[in-house]
Amino acid sequence: MQRTRFSAMRCSLARSLDRIGDWWTPLILRDLFLGVTRFDELVEDLGLSRNLLARRLRSLVARGLVRKVPYQRRPLRHAYLLSAAGEALLPPLLALTAWGDRHAAPPGGPPLRFRHLGCGRDFVPVVVCSCCGEALEAAAVEARPGPGGAAARGTRVVARRLATKAR
Amino acid sequence: MQRTRFSAMRCSLARSLDRIGDWWTPLILRDLFLGVTRFDELVEDLGLSRNLLARRLRSLVARGLVRKVPYQRRPLRHAYLLSAAGEALLPPLLALTAWGDRHAAPPGGPPLRFRHLGCGRDFVPVVVCSCCGEALEAAAVEARPGPGGAAARGTRVVARRLATKAR
DNA sequence: TGAGTGGGTTCAATCAATGAACTAACGAGC
DNA sequence: GCTCGTTAGTTCATTGATTGAACCCACTCA
């Protein structure tokens, strides 16, 4: 009767959520990106229990999203830094943040702004098509079966549904 | 001792997670987008308890991400459809899915492919800068304080850290 | 009248999160 | 040598969330 894990599902969103879908995990990753990288800083910033933070960090390190790196010796102390895979999560999380700015904004406007060092300006993240560069909208996206598809838990009905337009 | 809600945090990522961060919720939204829109279909596809699905759908409808729409009368039956705000979540979720394809791929390759009806080709979602159109990378993004920022829970340390580079 | 369908609710058992208290290694100062 | 302060955790009881099974109800069709 353990909580259902998503890792076995034949769906990349489920497999992403298996890595970062736990309560607090995306906020921990955000803090690591923002430079809040030490255990006690994370506890103070987020206000979560030390207990849970330790467990989440262990899991993130084990899955290769975070590295535990010493920032001083004598006494030995560690900071938690994003790995390459962890940094690759930033753009999706930024896109989610932008959704929050638009559809769940806190009083007073966006709490954080982001500047792109490439062009030097404040920006909004936009998700575009890799082929034509156009901004994506739900109505213009069609799902089709991929090579790794299967009718496992999480795609039982979806697999049937997609098979019809397999082409 | 209730589970910490993220809604009061002065951080748009936290406020997004307050809406869709619950266990199962992003997968429910994915299924609605893929056309799995009825209660029993969702139960069969995902394998979650009817109990929990009912609670999640109620919450999504209450928050305006999903609409409950009759698809037949006699007997009256409802389908759950994405609202405009719910559809706006698709691009961020697609970006997260693409991360899963790269960094947590299931055996056999991507389970789903997506086609952009704008250009007619299969694509990968890319998160770009709204100003220059360049693909975003963590190293080229700098966070700065916004108008709605504050040192509440979730941004205690972050707010201090950002104040130094306020200008 | 009886079975079937779709869409839920109720309930007990177990897992996960919370918050407080505790541990431990080390250095600094007296 | 001894105590105090830092940093980074661990342990534990309490409460909340998830699970899976069983049940309910309105409605239709044979």
Side-chain angles (χ1 to χ4, degrees):
Chain A
M1 215 195 255
Q2 195 171 171
R3 187 168 77 161
T4 312
R5 298 300 328 180
F6 295 151
S7 53
M9 289 186 181
R10 297 306 211 98
C11 161
S12 292
L13 178 58
R15 299 172 69 81
S16 294
L17 293 173
D18 183 65
R19 267 80 175 168
I20 64 152
D22 279 321
W23 209 234
W24 290 108
T25 298
L27 292 180
I28 293 170
L29 294 172
R30 177 207 66 159
D31 268 17
L32 298 185
F33 168 71
L34 293 176
V36 180
T37 60
R38 300 181 190 177
F39 193 90
D40 276 17
E41 285 177 339
L42 288 163
V43 168
E44 185 192 352
D45 192 60
L46 298 173
L48 85 174
S49 78
R50 318 173 69 74
N51 179 0
L52 189 55
L53 177 60
R55 199 161 0 136
R56 291 285 188 271
L57 288 172
R58 227 187 341 263
S59 159
L60 286 169
V61 170
R63 285 154 175 284
L65 299 189
V66 169
R67 291 174 298 133
K68 186 176 182 178
V69 178
Y71 66 86
Q72 71 170 32
R73 315 193 161 273
R74 321 199 52 77
L76 183 59
R77 298 280 183 249
H78 294 276
Y80 294 91
L81 301 179
L82 293 176
S83 69
E87 290 199 330
L89 264 166
L90 187 74
L93 291 182
L94 280 179
L96 208 57
T97 304
W99 183 89
D101 277 336
R102 261 186 88 73
H103 294 90
L112 242 58
R113 274 181 310 198
F114 297 97
R115 176 164 294 183
H116 185 216
L117 299 181
C119 65
R121 281 175 295 190
D122 287 5
F123 70 95
V124 175
V126 182
V127 185
V128 303
C129 169
S130 57
C131 294
C132 68
E134 202 175 296
L136 293 175
E137 289 183 30
V141 173
E142 183 190 51
R144 315 180 66 247
R153 186 184 201 187
T155 46
R156 253 182 258 288
V157 177
V158 166
R160 281 209 301 273
R161 201 65 55 95
L162 291 181
T164 59
K165 52 179 161 184
R167 210 281 288 285
Chain B
M1 215 195 253
Q2 196 172 171
R3 187 167 77 162
T4 312
R5 298 299 328 180
F6 296 151
S7 52
M9 289 187 181
R10 295 307 210 98
C11 162
S12 292
L13 178 58
R15 299 172 70 81
S16 293
L17 292 173
D18 183 65
R19 267 79 175 168
I20 64 152
D22 279 322
W23 209 234
W24 289 108
T25 298
L27 292 181
I28 293 169
L29 294 172
R30 176 206 67 159
D31 268 17
L32 297 185
F33 167 71
L34 294 176
V36 180
T37 61
R38 300 180 189 176
F39 193 91
D40 277 17
E41 285 177 339
L42 287 163
V43 168
E44 184 191 353
D45 192 60
L46 297 172
L48 85 175
S49 78
R50 318 173 68 76
N51 180 359
L52 189 55
L53 177 60
R55 198 159 3 133
R56 291 285 188 271
L57 288 173
R58 228 187 340 264
S59 160
L60 286 169
V61 169
R63 284 152 176 282
L65 299 190
V66 168
R67 292 174 296 134
K68 186 176 181 177
V69 178
Y71 67 85
Q72 70 170 34
R73 315 192 161 274
R74 319 200 53 78
L76 183 59
R77 297 282 183 247
H78 294 276
Y80 294 92
L81 301 179
L82 294 175
S83 70
E87 287 199 332
L89 264 167
L90 186 74
L93 291 181
L94 280 179
L96 208 58
T97 303
W99 182 90
D101 277 335
R102 262 189 85 74
H103 294 91
L112 242 58
R113 274 182 309 199
F114 297 98
R115 175 165 296 184
H116 184 215
L117 299 181
C119 67
R121 279 175 297 190
D122 286 5
F123 70 95
V124 175
V126 181
V127 185
V128 303
C129 168
S130 58
C131 294
C132 69
E134 202 176 295
L136 293 175
E137 289 183 31
V141 174
E142 184 189 49
R144 314 179 68 246
R153 185 184 204 189
T155 46
R156 254 180 257 288
V157 177
V158 166
R160 282 210 301 275
R161 199 66 54 96
L162 291 182
T164 60
K165 52 179 163 185
R167 220 273 336 141

